[in-house]
Amino acid sequence: MKFFLDTAHLDDIREATERGLCDGVTTNPSLLAKEDGDPREIVREIAKIVDGPVSAEVISTETDGMVREGLEWAKLASNIVVKVPMTMDGLKAIRIFSSQDVATNCTLIFNAMQALAAAKAGASMVSPFVGRLDDIQSPGMDLVAQIVKVFKNYGITSEVIVASVRGPMHALRAAELGADIATIPWAQIQAMLRHPLTDSGLERFLADWEKIRER
Ligand code: G3P
């Protein structure tokens, strides 16, 4: 499973990249709003750091505007993926992008038929938001299982990005289900890679080495 960083924070992206833990990045307007500076410059910089897809989202709600904005994003770098919301206008825009070989990530997916429709329109990636479903007491990971199954049934090649990840169990379950990608905030990636037995084991090795160091 690929790890994407769900952030627009450059330091986090650099740190994850240095450790081989950043196969791509997903941004959205809310994540870009947390950072200082011109959002276009931030996305351009992310695309330079990351050797993988970088999603940048359109703001327009109508197809023409989505296509115009998406082509602007795509001009910034060759690894930009245009993020388009799952709406009827969005599907039309995805189809146009697909005919022009512009990669897309269909976002705000909350049921499996939305994912299937996005794939049929030509989306390169689909993003089910698991945490937001959990928030309304609807198991987000069940949706991922459904999408993975449906895509497998029909040999659909659109990648499944597990998004709105809120903890390590989301990421583990995503990998068990065979999702292509999980997009995760850097703090959560670090948290899921910590283990108390790793820490105490290392402490013990260092303490034992101290005993024999002067031999
Ligand atoms: O990738 C989508 C993600 O940024 C949404 O996460 O935590 O706002 O539901 P959240």
Side-chain angles (χ1 to χ4, degrees):
M1 183 174 72
K2 287 178 263 190
F3 284 12
F4 281 14
L5 251 64
D6 195 25
T7 188
H9 192 64
L10 295 177
D11 288 345
D12 288 357
I13 293 165
R14 286 194 191 97
E15 283 197 31
T17 300
E18 284 164 3
R19 289 162 178 81
L21 295 174
C22 183
D23 301 309
V25 166
T26 50
T27 69
N28 62 36
S30 310
L31 292 170
L32 283 163
K34 288 186 193 167
E35 308 301 318
D36 292 329
D38 177 350
R40 288 158 213 83
E41 284 312 312
I42 296 170
V43 169
R44 196 200 308 269
E45 190 57 31
I46 295 172
K48 267 192 223 159
I49 300 169
V50 179
D51 185 16
V54 175
S55 291
E57 188 161 340
V58 297
I59 305 304
S60 288
T61 53
E62 285 159 16
T63 304
D64 288 353
M66 289 174 173
V67 171
R68 197 173 50 247
E69 286 173 24
L71 293 177
E72 286 298 316
W73 279 127
K75 263 196 248 161
L76 290 184
S78 59
N79 53 342
I80 296 288
V81 172
V82 179
K83 213 175 189 187
V84 181
M86 173 56 227
T87 60
M88 295 311 270
D89 277 72
L91 290 176
K92 203 166 153 189
I94 287 169
R95 192 159 171 74
I96 294 168
F97 286 128
S98 170
S99 72
Q100 298 183 17
D101 285 329
V102 174
T104 49
N105 171 359
C106 186
T107 189
L108 292 167
I109 299 269
F110 293 98
N111 73 45
M113 295 317 283
Q114 289 181 322
L116 181 56
K120 284 171 74 65
S124 324
M125 302 170 186
V126 299
S127 290
F129 274 34
V130 298
R132 292 192 195 182
L133 277 171
D134 287 355
D135 290 344
I136 58 159
Q137 300 175 54
S138 172
M141 293 313 296
D142 287 0
L143 170 59
V144 175
Q146 287 171 349
I147 297 173
V148 168
K149 183 168 190 289
V150 169
F151 282 14
K152 195 169 165 210
N153 285 347
Y154 297 106
I156 289 170
T157 55
S158 310
E159 291 187 290
V160 179
I161 308 191
V162 178
S164 183
V165 167
R166 301 277 170 77
M169 295 315 288
H170 277 153
L172 170 61
R173 190 77 190 115
E176 284 178 339
L177 290 169
D180 301 281
I181 302 157
T183 187
I184 315 172
W186 177 228
Q188 280 188 35
I189 294 181
Q190 291 179 84
M192 77 190 187
L193 298 180
R194 276 196 291 270
H195 196 286
L197 291 179
T198 305
D199 298 340
S200 60
L202 178 60
E203 232 170 76
R204 194 150 123 203
F205 285 148
L206 295 178
D208 287 341
W209 181 254
E210 274 308 305
K211 292 180 207 157
I212 58 173
R213 193 160 61 98
E214 300 301 339
R215 280 189 194 166

